[in-house]
Amino acid sequence: MSSFSLAEPPLFHRLRNSANILIAGAGGGFDVYGGLPLAIALEGLGKRVHLANFSFSDLRRTAIEDWEAPGVVAVHPDSIGNDDYFPERTLARWLASTGRNPVVYAFPSSGVQPLRDAYRALIEKLDLDAVVLIDGGTDILLRGDEAGLGTPQEDMTSLAAVAGIDAITRLVVSIGFGIDSYHGVCHAHVLENLAALQRDNAYLGALSIPSDSPEGAAYFAAVRHSLLETPLRPSIVHSQIATALRGEFGDIHATDRTNGTELFVNPLMAMYLSVDLPALARTVEYLPYLEPTVAAYQVAQVIEAHLTSRPVPRRSSIIPH
């Protein structure tokens, strides 16, 4: 008998018995913002939710007392860092303005082993029973034999790190379907991968964020705040997702960073695609080779070696509708 029901989305079913959940941006930048609607929905169900992000920020400038453990920084609204680009601090400031817990945990750039240790330290500190990796885009769903892999380095470091931690619920949620076409991702391959996961009961379905919901309103407000705080490097991904959530369609540009490219803003961008993390990790061809990595450059080397040595990849194709 199936454990799922149409009346309860599988994503929420899997988190039903979790009381203390970490939602963590997998790919750096503003990825953690994609987890805000989910975080607010879970809080509404009485869950305790924490936010974290694999960081592109220069965390070496943060105060020593903000380091919770090696590889884990607790970023507050007044944390020291770059003035023009510090997404974790920007989010902490927005959280503070709404009366929410104004802490966003940040993981500095590294290889798999230090990041796994950092996750373990945070799991112990916060007594977590679930970790949800959030990806702004779909390259975390690629297994390595596609025509293009997007920008997988940080996503796969996060995926491998959390895949090696047992005894807690581990999920992956992607938002922003179609955005990664700019980086050469074939989204027909993404759908093919999800179909394969579904055959293993590891695809947890798609879930749209209602624009007129408290979760949608909070996401709009947080993204708008981030654009004002980071005018020189606004988030391309979340400016497009927010535009899609407002009902815009087609070649709509919310930031001049996308000038000169043709966009396809559409409702699928504002949709969560959820999968079981361990099952997804088992599909990634080169993930075992990331295991011994300590530094980010080693992850890049493994991925480059995979790209140059793999057989002929799947041919790129369009979605024929």
Side-chain angles (χ1 to χ4, degrees), residues 34-86:
L36 274 175
L38 177 59
I40 291 167
L42 290 170
E43 287 175 346
L45 296 174
K47 314 289 188 184
R48 187 176 181 189
V49 183
H50 311 269
L51 298 172
N53 203 39
F54 192 102
S55 183
F56 290 162
S57 307
D58 184 5
L59 299 175
R60 296 170 300 179
R61 299 178 59 187
T62 56
I64 192 168
E65 57 267 23
D66 287 343
W67 288 80
E68 300 287 341
V72 184
V73 180
V75 178
H76 303 270
D78 57 352
S79 289
I80 300 169
N82 293 344
D83 292 334
D84 61 342
Y85 186 81
F86 197 169

Side-chain angles (χ1 to χ4, degrees), residues 33 90-91 93-94 220-230:
Y33 277 73
T90 298
L91 179 54
R93 289 174 174 174
W94 179 80
F220 281 135
V223 171
R224 183 167 56 250
H225 174 267
S226 76
L227 297 177
L228 293 173
E229 277 236 341
T230 317

